[in-house]
Amino acid sequence: MTILVTGGAGYIGSHTVIELIQSGYDVVIVDNFSNSHPEVIQRIETITNQTIKYYANDIKDSEAMRKIFAENAISAVIHFAAYKAVGESVEQPLKYYENNVSGTIALLEIMQEFAVKTIVFSSSATVYGADNPSPLTEDMPTLDANNPYGYTKIVNERMLKDLAHSDPDWSVVLLRYFNPIGAYETGTIGEDPNGIPNNLMPYITQVAVGKLDQVSVFGNDYDTPDGTGVRDYIHVVDLAKGHVKAVAKALAEAQLYIYNLGTGQGYSVLDLIHTFSETNDVDVPYQITDRREGDIAVCYADPTKAQQELGWIAEKTLVDMCRDSWRWQQNNPNGYQAGNMND
């Protein structure tokens, strides 16, 4: 059974490809490498000992996508391909709506043309906005977001819900991620952001390896145990395994499914910095700065539904996440650009 993974060379996509292959699926990747690197494909091949079929195309290129579907007997799609930097989305909203929403429409039209009506969509906890209290459950309203990136997720979710409602042959899974961190345990693949990282963990690892001077902690006056923001950090491998469970569920019965993928445990920014330092015996200097616009105090999941319906649970600890993130950064101080890993 063949799964098409859009954005399959990205951070979460690459880890999911490995878990799919190890679960017995055939995988085809389409990725335009706008926020990833071709080196990832070679790394996946090394880990899985398989040749990976991939296409260096953009999902908005309908002619190229039509060729991909014609050449492969695709059973389902896992859709990761999207821009994801919150700050950039505020500065360049049209870029985000054009890519994230128009790209999904183009993909769905080709899927419909080839009667491939099973999709697992990479959504986000940002769809819950600022007003829902944690722990967040799947039945809470998702009417607004704090930024254009989050709103593209809401629009895509709405579109996929409408599609499933219009045609019972569509099987749609919306997976709402919380904060993925960590890396494959060998340190072969991991998170390699373009430029200065937007997310906390790669910023921490780049400070620890000496590429950046210090971590900025945005605000220490929130109503939390230590005043810093609390988030639900989940190991990227646990997240990837959730996609394997989700695609199996979607293929078994055509329905609309919505699941949170998180641990159900909130940790503060300082918890993460201190755990990273202690786990890896490395200094991570930080400074407290002003709050960042749009940030909320607390955000963590209620993952009960995924446990009950998918048989999925996050198994890795915060220590695992910190250790694996550091191994990736040490092995690849300059990310994939450097080619071969350090010994």
Short mmCIF file of all heavy atoms in Angstrom, two decimals, residues 137-197:
data_model
loop_
_atom_site.label_atom_id
_atom_site.label_comp_id
_atom_site.label_asym_id
_atom_site.label_seq_id
_atom_site.Cartn_x
_atom_site.Cartn_y
_atom_site.Cartn_z
N THR A 137 -9.43 20.12 24.25
CA THR A 137 -10.10 18.94 23.71
C THR A 137 -10.61 19.22 22.30
O THR A 137 -10.87 20.37 21.93
CB THR A 137 -11.28 18.51 24.60
OG1 THR A 137 -12.20 19.60 24.72
CG2 THR A 137 -10.79 18.11 25.98
N GLU A 138 -10.78 18.15 21.53
CA GLU A 138 -11.08 18.28 20.11
C GLU A 138 -12.44 18.91 19.82
O GLU A 138 -12.68 19.40 18.71
CB GLU A 138 -11.03 16.90 19.44
CG GLU A 138 -9.65 16.30 19.33
CD GLU A 138 -9.20 15.51 20.54
OE1 GLU A 138 -9.88 15.60 21.61
OE2 GLU A 138 -8.18 14.82 20.46
N ASP A 139 -13.33 18.93 20.82
CA ASP A 139 -14.67 19.50 20.59
C ASP A 139 -14.74 20.99 20.90
O ASP A 139 -15.80 21.62 20.78
CB ASP A 139 -15.72 18.74 21.40
CG ASP A 139 -15.43 18.73 22.89
OD1 ASP A 139 -14.37 19.27 23.32
OD2 ASP A 139 -16.25 18.15 23.65
N MET A 140 -13.63 21.60 21.28
CA MET A 140 -13.62 23.04 21.56
C MET A 140 -13.72 23.83 20.26
O MET A 140 -13.30 23.36 19.21
CB MET A 140 -12.34 23.42 22.32
CG MET A 140 -12.33 22.96 23.76
SD MET A 140 -10.77 23.39 24.60
CE MET A 140 -11.20 22.97 26.30
N PRO A 141 -14.27 25.06 20.32
CA PRO A 141 -14.41 25.87 19.10
C PRO A 141 -13.05 26.28 18.53
O PRO A 141 -12.10 26.53 19.27
CB PRO A 141 -15.20 27.09 19.57
CG PRO A 141 -15.01 27.14 21.06
CD PRO A 141 -14.85 25.72 21.50
N THR A 142 -12.99 26.35 17.21
CA THR A 142 -11.76 26.75 16.51
C THR A 142 -12.12 27.81 15.48
O THR A 142 -11.99 27.60 14.28
CB THR A 142 -11.09 25.55 15.81
OG1 THR A 142 -12.05 24.97 14.90
CG2 THR A 142 -10.66 24.49 16.81
N LEU A 143 -12.54 28.95 15.97
CA LEU A 143 -13.07 29.99 15.08
C LEU A 143 -12.06 31.07 14.76
O LEU A 143 -12.24 31.82 13.81
CB LEU A 143 -14.32 30.62 15.72
CG LEU A 143 -15.48 29.67 16.00
CD1 LEU A 143 -16.61 30.41 16.71
CD2 LEU A 143 -15.99 29.04 14.71
N ASP A 144 -11.01 31.18 15.55
CA ASP A 144 -10.07 32.27 15.34
C ASP A 144 -8.67 31.81 15.71
O ASP A 144 -8.49 30.83 16.43
CB ASP A 144 -10.47 33.48 16.20
CG ASP A 144 -9.87 34.78 15.68
OD1 ASP A 144 -9.25 34.74 14.59
OD2 ASP A 144 -10.04 35.81 16.34
N ALA A 145 -7.67 32.50 15.19
CA ALA A 145 -6.28 32.19 15.47
C ALA A 145 -5.54 33.49 15.73
O ALA A 145 -6.02 34.57 15.39
CB ALA A 145 -5.65 31.44 14.31
N ASN A 146 -4.35 33.38 16.30
CA ASN A 146 -3.57 34.56 16.67
C ASN A 146 -2.73 35.11 15.53
O ASN A 146 -2.11 36.17 15.67
CB ASN A 146 -2.66 34.24 17.86
CG ASN A 146 -3.44 33.90 19.10
OD1 ASN A 146 -4.62 34.19 19.19
ND2 ASN A 146 -2.77 33.31 20.07
N ASN A 147 -2.67 34.38 14.41
CA ASN A 147 -1.76 34.79 13.34
C ASN A 147 -2.20 34.14 12.03
O ASN A 147 -2.98 33.17 12.04
CB ASN A 147 -0.32 34.37 13.68
CG ASN A 147 -0.24 32.91 14.06
OD1 ASN A 147 -0.35 32.04 13.21
ND2 ASN A 147 -0.03 32.62 15.34
N PRO A 148 -1.73 34.64 10.89
CA PRO A 148 -2.14 34.08 9.60
C PRO A 148 -1.78 32.60 9.44
O PRO A 148 -2.54 31.84 8.84
CB PRO A 148 -1.39 34.95 8.58
CG PRO A 148 -1.22 36.26 9.27
CD PRO A 148 -0.98 35.92 10.71
N TYR A 149 -0.63 32.17 9.95
CA TYR A 149 -0.27 30.75 9.87
C TYR A 149 -1.38 29.90 10.51
O TYR A 149 -1.85 28.93 9.91
CB TYR A 149 1.07 30.49 10.57
CG TYR A 149 1.26 29.04 10.94
CD1 TYR A 149 1.58 28.10 9.97
CD2 TYR A 149 1.10 28.61 12.26
CE1 TYR A 149 1.72 26.75 10.30
CE2 TYR A 149 1.24 27.28 12.60
CZ TYR A 149 1.55 26.35 11.61
OH TYR A 149 1.67 25.03 11.95
N GLY A 150 -1.76 30.27 11.74
CA GLY A 150 -2.81 29.51 12.42
C GLY A 150 -4.13 29.55 11.68
O GLY A 150 -4.85 28.55 11.61
N TYR A 151 -4.41 30.69 11.08
CA TYR A 151 -5.68 30.80 10.36
C TYR A 151 -5.67 29.95 9.09
O TYR A 151 -6.72 29.43 8.69
CB TYR A 151 -6.02 32.26 10.06
CG TYR A 151 -7.50 32.46 9.91
CD1 TYR A 151 -8.33 32.45 11.03
CD2 TYR A 151 -8.10 32.60 8.67
CE1 TYR A 151 -9.69 32.59 10.91
CE2 TYR A 151 -9.46 32.75 8.54
CZ TYR A 151 -10.26 32.74 9.66
OH TYR A 151 -11.62 32.85 9.54
N THR A 152 -4.50 29.77 8.45
CA THR A 152 -4.47 28.87 7.29
C THR A 152 -4.83 27.45 7.71
O THR A 152 -5.44 26.70 6.94
CB THR A 152 -3.10 28.86 6.57
OG1 THR A 152 -2.08 28.30 7.41
CG2 THR A 152 -2.70 30.24 6.11
N LYS A 153 -4.46 27.07 8.94
CA LYS A 153 -4.81 25.74 9.44
C LYS A 153 -6.32 25.65 9.67
O LYS A 153 -6.96 24.63 9.33
CB LYS A 153 -4.06 25.44 10.74
CG LYS A 153 -2.54 25.31 10.58
CD LYS A 153 -2.14 24.18 9.66
CE LYS A 153 -0.64 24.00 9.61
NZ LYS A 153 -0.22 22.95 8.64
N ILE A 154 -6.91 26.71 10.21
CA ILE A 154 -8.36 26.72 10.42
C ILE A 154 -9.10 26.62 9.08
O ILE A 154 -10.06 25.85 8.94
CB ILE A 154 -8.78 28.00 11.18
CG1 ILE A 154 -8.28 27.95 12.62
CG2 ILE A 154 -10.29 28.17 11.15
CD1 ILE A 154 -8.53 29.22 13.41
N VAL A 155 -8.65 27.40 8.10
CA VAL A 155 -9.29 27.37 6.77
C VAL A 155 -9.17 25.98 6.15
O VAL A 155 -10.15 25.43 5.60
CB VAL A 155 -8.68 28.45 5.85
CG1 VAL A 155 -9.20 28.29 4.43
CG2 VAL A 155 -8.97 29.84 6.37
N ASN A 156 -7.99 25.38 6.23
CA ASN A 156 -7.81 24.04 5.67
C ASN A 156 -8.66 23.01 6.40
O ASN A 156 -9.25 22.12 5.76
CB ASN A 156 -6.33 23.64 5.73
CG ASN A 156 -5.54 24.17 4.55
OD1 ASN A 156 -6.03 24.24 3.44
ND2 ASN A 156 -4.30 24.57 4.80
N GLU A 157 -8.74 23.12 7.71
CA GLU A 157 -9.60 22.21 8.46
C GLU A 157 -11.05 22.35 8.01
O GLU A 157 -11.75 21.35 7.79
CB GLU A 157 -9.50 22.48 9.97
CG GLU A 157 -8.28 21.87 10.63
CD GLU A 157 -8.48 21.70 12.14
OE1 GLU A 157 -9.61 21.93 12.62
OE2 GLU A 157 -7.52 21.33 12.83
N ARG A 158 -11.52 23.59 7.88
CA ARG A 158 -12.90 23.83 7.46
C ARG A 158 -13.17 23.24 6.07
O ARG A 158 -14.20 22.61 5.83
CB ARG A 158 -13.15 25.34 7.45
CG ARG A 158 -14.53 25.78 7.06
CD ARG A 158 -15.52 25.51 8.19
NE ARG A 158 -16.44 24.44 7.86
CZ ARG A 158 -17.39 23.99 8.68
NH1 ARG A 158 -17.54 24.52 9.89
NH2 ARG A 158 -18.19 23.03 8.32
N MET A 159 -12.21 23.44 5.19
CA MET A 159 -12.33 22.94 3.83
C MET A 159 -12.43 21.40 3.83
O MET A 159 -13.26 20.81 3.12
CB MET A 159 -11.12 23.40 3.04
CG MET A 159 -11.16 23.18 1.55
SD MET A 159 -9.96 24.27 0.75
CE MET A 159 -8.43 23.84 1.56
N LEU A 160 -11.59 20.76 4.62
CA LEU A 160 -11.57 19.30 4.67
C LEU A 160 -12.83 18.76 5.34
O LEU A 160 -13.36 17.72 4.93
CB LEU A 160 -10.31 18.82 5.39
CG LEU A 160 -9.03 18.96 4.55
CD1 LEU A 160 -7.79 18.95 5.43
CD2 LEU A 160 -8.95 17.85 3.51
N LYS A 161 -13.33 19.46 6.34
CA LYS A 161 -14.60 19.06 6.96
C LYS A 161 -15.74 19.15 5.95
O LYS A 161 -16.58 18.25 5.85
CB LYS A 161 -14.90 19.96 8.17
CG LYS A 161 -14.03 19.73 9.38
CD LYS A 161 -14.36 20.77 10.45
CE LYS A 161 -13.44 20.66 11.66
NZ LYS A 161 -13.69 21.74 12.66
N ASP A 162 -15.77 20.26 5.19
CA ASP A 162 -16.82 20.43 4.18
C ASP A 162 -16.72 19.35 3.11
O ASP A 162 -17.74 18.84 2.62
CB ASP A 162 -16.70 21.81 3.54
CG ASP A 162 -17.10 22.94 4.49
OD1 ASP A 162 -17.77 22.64 5.51
OD2 ASP A 162 -16.74 24.10 4.22
N LEU A 163 -15.51 19.00 2.73
CA LEU A 163 -15.31 17.97 1.71
C LEU A 163 -15.82 16.62 2.21
O LEU A 163 -16.52 15.90 1.49
CB LEU A 163 -13.82 17.88 1.35
CG LEU A 163 -13.42 17.05 0.15
CD1 LEU A 163 -14.09 17.55 -1.12
CD2 LEU A 163 -11.90 17.04 -0.01
N ALA A 164 -15.48 16.28 3.44
CA ALA A 164 -15.94 15.01 4.01
C ALA A 164 -17.46 14.98 4.13
O ALA A 164 -18.10 13.94 3.92
CB ALA A 164 -15.29 14.80 5.38
N HIS A 165 -18.04 16.15 4.45
CA HIS A 165 -19.50 16.23 4.57
C HIS A 165 -20.18 16.09 3.21
O HIS A 165 -21.26 15.50 3.09
CB HIS A 165 -19.89 17.57 5.21
CG HIS A 165 -21.36 17.77 5.37
ND1 HIS A 165 -22.10 17.09 6.32
CD2 HIS A 165 -22.24 18.57 4.70
CE1 HIS A 165 -23.37 17.45 6.22
NE2 HIS A 165 -23.48 18.35 5.25
N SER A 166 -19.52 16.59 2.17
CA SER A 166 -20.13 16.59 0.84
C SER A 166 -20.08 15.22 0.17
O SER A 166 -20.89 14.94 -0.72
CB SER A 166 -19.41 17.60 -0.06
OG SER A 166 -18.10 17.12 -0.42
N ASP A 167 -19.12 14.39 0.58
CA ASP A 167 -18.91 13.11 -0.10
C ASP A 167 -18.45 12.08 0.93
O ASP A 167 -17.32 12.14 1.42
CB ASP A 167 -17.83 13.28 -1.19
CG ASP A 167 -17.55 12.00 -1.95
OD1 ASP A 167 -18.07 10.92 -1.57
OD2 ASP A 167 -16.78 12.05 -2.93
N PRO A 168 -19.32 11.11 1.28
CA PRO A 168 -18.98 10.14 2.33
C PRO A 168 -17.83 9.21 1.96
O PRO A 168 -17.35 8.47 2.83
CB PRO A 168 -20.28 9.36 2.51
CG PRO A 168 -21.04 9.55 1.23
CD PRO A 168 -20.67 10.91 0.74
N ASP A 169 -17.38 9.24 0.72
CA ASP A 169 -16.22 8.42 0.35
C ASP A 169 -14.90 9.03 0.85
O ASP A 169 -13.88 8.33 0.90
CB ASP A 169 -16.14 8.25 -1.18
CG ASP A 169 -17.23 7.34 -1.72
OD1 ASP A 169 -17.79 6.55 -0.92
OD2 ASP A 169 -17.53 7.43 -2.92
N TRP A 170 -14.92 10.30 1.20
CA TRP A 170 -13.71 10.93 1.72
C TRP A 170 -13.46 10.49 3.15
O TRP A 170 -14.37 10.48 3.99
CB TRP A 170 -13.81 12.45 1.67
CG TRP A 170 -13.41 13.02 0.35
CD1 TRP A 170 -14.22 13.31 -0.71
CD2 TRP A 170 -12.08 13.35 -0.07
NE1 TRP A 170 -13.50 13.80 -1.77
CE2 TRP A 170 -12.17 13.84 -1.40
CE3 TRP A 170 -10.83 13.28 0.53
CZ2 TRP A 170 -11.06 14.26 -2.12
CZ3 TRP A 170 -9.71 13.70 -0.18
CH2 TRP A 170 -9.83 14.18 -1.50
N SER A 171 -12.22 10.12 3.43
CA SER A 171 -11.78 9.80 4.79
C SER A 171 -10.72 10.83 5.16
O SER A 171 -9.66 10.88 4.54
CB SER A 171 -11.22 8.38 4.84
OG SER A 171 -11.11 7.93 6.17
N VAL A 172 -11.02 11.64 6.16
CA VAL A 172 -10.18 12.78 6.52
C VAL A 172 -9.78 12.70 7.98
O VAL A 172 -10.65 12.51 8.85
CB VAL A 172 -10.94 14.11 6.27
CG1 VAL A 172 -10.15 15.30 6.81
CG2 VAL A 172 -11.24 14.29 4.78
N VAL A 173 -8.49 12.82 8.25
CA VAL A 173 -8.01 12.89 9.63
C VAL A 173 -7.30 14.22 9.83
O VAL A 173 -6.35 14.54 9.11
CB VAL A 173 -7.03 11.74 9.97
CG1 VAL A 173 -6.71 11.76 11.47
CG2 VAL A 173 -7.59 10.39 9.58
N LEU A 174 -7.77 14.98 10.79
CA LEU A 174 -7.12 16.25 11.17
C LEU A 174 -6.31 15.99 12.43
O LEU A 174 -6.88 15.66 13.48
CB LEU A 174 -8.17 17.33 11.44
CG LEU A 174 -9.22 17.55 10.35
CD1 LEU A 174 -10.23 18.62 10.79
CD2 LEU A 174 -8.57 17.94 9.03
N LEU A 175 -5.00 16.11 12.33
CA LEU A 175 -4.12 15.89 13.49
C LEU A 175 -3.62 17.24 14.00
O LEU A 175 -2.91 17.95 13.28
CB LEU A 175 -2.94 15.00 13.10
CG LEU A 175 -3.27 13.57 12.68
CD1 LEU A 175 -2.01 12.80 12.35
CD2 LEU A 175 -4.06 12.85 13.78
N ARG A 176 -4.00 17.57 15.21
CA ARG A 176 -3.62 18.84 15.81
C ARG A 176 -2.40 18.62 16.70
O ARG A 176 -2.49 18.05 17.78
CB ARG A 176 -4.79 19.43 16.60
CG ARG A 176 -5.96 19.78 15.69
CD ARG A 176 -7.20 20.18 16.48
NE ARG A 176 -8.29 20.56 15.56
CZ ARG A 176 -9.56 20.70 15.93
NH1 ARG A 176 -9.90 20.50 17.20
NH2 ARG A 176 -10.48 21.02 15.05
N TYR A 177 -1.24 19.08 16.19
CA TYR A 177 0.01 18.91 16.93
C TYR A 177 0.14 19.97 18.00
O TYR A 177 -0.32 21.09 17.84
CB TYR A 177 1.25 19.09 16.02
CG TYR A 177 1.26 18.37 14.72
CD1 TYR A 177 2.08 18.83 13.70
CD2 TYR A 177 0.48 17.25 14.49
CE1 TYR A 177 2.14 18.20 12.48
CE2 TYR A 177 0.52 16.61 13.27
CZ TYR A 177 1.35 17.09 12.26
OH TYR A 177 1.40 16.47 11.05
N PHE A 178 0.93 19.60 19.01
CA PHE A 178 1.30 20.59 20.00
C PHE A 178 2.74 21.05 19.69
O PHE A 178 2.96 21.67 18.66
CB PHE A 178 0.99 20.07 21.40
CG PHE A 178 -0.49 20.20 21.66
CD1 PHE A 178 -1.42 19.40 20.99
CD2 PHE A 178 -0.98 21.20 22.48
CE1 PHE A 178 -2.79 19.57 21.15
CE2 PHE A 178 -2.35 21.39 22.65
CZ PHE A 178 -3.24 20.57 21.99
N ASN A 179 3.74 20.79 20.46
CA ASN A 179 5.07 21.35 20.18
C ASN A 179 6.08 20.24 19.94
O ASN A 179 6.72 19.76 20.89
CB ASN A 179 5.52 22.24 21.35
CG ASN A 179 4.71 23.51 21.47
OD1 ASN A 179 3.52 23.46 21.79
ND2 ASN A 179 5.32 24.64 21.20
N PRO A 180 6.27 19.85 18.67
CA PRO A 180 7.21 18.76 18.39
C PRO A 180 8.66 19.19 18.57
O PRO A 180 9.08 20.24 18.08
CB PRO A 180 6.95 18.43 16.90
CG PRO A 180 5.81 19.28 16.48
CD PRO A 180 5.62 20.35 17.47
N ILE A 181 9.42 18.39 19.29
CA ILE A 181 10.85 18.59 19.44
C ILE A 181 11.53 17.23 19.40
O ILE A 181 10.88 16.21 19.20
CB ILE A 181 11.22 19.36 20.73
CG1 ILE A 181 10.73 18.61 21.98
CG2 ILE A 181 10.64 20.76 20.71
CD1 ILE A 181 11.19 19.26 23.28
N GLY A 182 12.84 17.19 19.57
CA GLY A 182 13.55 15.92 19.51
C GLY A 182 14.01 15.60 18.10
O GLY A 182 13.89 16.42 17.18
N ALA A 183 14.54 14.39 17.93
CA ALA A 183 15.08 13.96 16.64
C ALA A 183 15.18 12.45 16.66
O ALA A 183 15.03 11.81 17.71
CB ALA A 183 16.47 14.57 16.42
N TYR A 184 15.42 11.87 15.49
CA TYR A 184 15.63 10.43 15.41
C TYR A 184 16.79 10.05 16.33
O TYR A 184 17.79 10.77 16.42
CB TYR A 184 15.91 10.02 13.96
CG TYR A 184 15.81 8.53 13.74
CD1 TYR A 184 14.57 7.90 13.76
CD2 TYR A 184 16.95 7.76 13.53
CE1 TYR A 184 14.47 6.53 13.58
CE2 TYR A 184 16.85 6.39 13.34
CZ TYR A 184 15.61 5.78 13.36
OH TYR A 184 15.52 4.42 13.19
N GLU A 185 16.67 8.91 17.02
CA GLU A 185 17.58 8.61 18.13
C GLU A 185 19.05 8.50 17.72
O GLU A 185 19.94 8.70 18.55
CB GLU A 185 17.14 7.33 18.85
CG GLU A 185 17.16 6.09 17.98
CD GLU A 185 16.63 4.87 18.71
OE1 GLU A 185 16.12 5.04 19.84
OE2 GLU A 185 16.72 3.76 18.16
N THR A 186 19.33 8.19 16.46
CA THR A 186 20.73 8.10 16.02
C THR A 186 21.34 9.47 15.72
O THR A 186 22.54 9.57 15.47
CB THR A 186 20.83 7.24 14.75
OG1 THR A 186 20.03 7.85 13.71
CG2 THR A 186 20.37 5.81 14.99
N GLY A 187 20.50 10.52 15.71
CA GLY A 187 20.99 11.84 15.35
C GLY A 187 21.21 12.01 13.86
O GLY A 187 21.87 12.95 13.43
N THR A 188 20.63 11.14 13.05
CA THR A 188 20.82 11.17 11.60
C THR A 188 19.94 12.21 10.94
O THR A 188 20.34 12.86 9.97
CB THR A 188 20.51 9.78 11.00
OG1 THR A 188 21.20 8.79 11.75
CG2 THR A 188 20.96 9.71 9.54
N ILE A 189 18.71 12.36 11.44
CA ILE A 189 17.82 13.40 10.94
C ILE A 189 17.26 14.18 12.12
O ILE A 189 17.18 13.66 13.24
CB ILE A 189 16.67 12.85 10.06
CG1 ILE A 189 15.75 11.92 10.87
CG2 ILE A 189 17.20 12.17 8.82
CD1 ILE A 189 14.48 11.55 10.14
N GLY A 190 16.90 15.43 11.87
CA GLY A 190 16.36 16.27 12.93
C GLY A 190 15.84 17.57 12.36
O GLY A 190 15.64 17.70 11.15
N GLU A 191 15.64 18.55 13.24
CA GLU A 191 15.08 19.83 12.82
C GLU A 191 16.20 20.76 12.36
O GLU A 191 17.13 21.03 13.11
CB GLU A 191 14.29 20.47 13.97
CG GLU A 191 13.53 21.71 13.55
CD GLU A 191 12.57 22.21 14.61
OE1 GLU A 191 12.59 21.71 15.75
OE2 GLU A 191 11.79 23.13 14.29
N ASP A 192 16.08 21.24 11.12
CA ASP A 192 17.12 22.08 10.52
C ASP A 192 16.46 23.33 9.95
O ASP A 192 16.26 23.45 8.73
CB ASP A 192 17.86 21.29 9.43
CG ASP A 192 18.98 22.09 8.78
OD1 ASP A 192 19.47 23.03 9.42
OD2 ASP A 192 19.34 21.77 7.64
N PRO A 193 16.13 24.31 10.81
CA PRO A 193 15.43 25.50 10.32
C PRO A 193 16.31 26.38 9.45
O PRO A 193 17.52 26.43 9.62
CB PRO A 193 15.04 26.23 11.61
CG PRO A 193 16.03 25.77 12.61
CD PRO A 193 16.39 24.36 12.25
N ASN A 194 15.67 27.06 8.50
CA ASN A 194 16.38 28.05 7.69
C ASN A 194 16.63 29.29 8.53
O ASN A 194 15.71 29.83 9.15
CB ASN A 194 15.55 28.44 6.46
CG ASN A 194 15.46 27.32 5.44
OD1 ASN A 194 16.34 26.49 5.37
ND2 ASN A 194 14.39 27.30 4.67
N GLY A 195 17.87 29.78 8.56
CA GLY A 195 18.17 31.01 9.28
C GLY A 195 18.04 30.85 10.78
O GLY A 195 18.19 29.76 11.33
N ILE A 196 17.73 31.95 11.46
CA ILE A 196 17.57 31.92 12.91
C ILE A 196 16.28 31.17 13.25
O ILE A 196 15.23 31.44 12.69
CB ILE A 196 17.52 33.35 13.48
CG1 ILE A 196 18.86 34.06 13.23
CG2 ILE A 196 17.21 33.34 14.98
CD1 ILE A 196 18.88 35.52 13.62
N PRO A 197 16.35 30.20 14.17
CA PRO A 197 15.17 29.37 14.45
C PRO A 197 13.99 30.18 15.00
O PRO A 197 14.17 31.15 15.75
CB PRO A 197 15.67 28.39 15.52
CG PRO A 197 17.16 28.38 15.38
CD PRO A 197 17.53 29.75 14.93
#
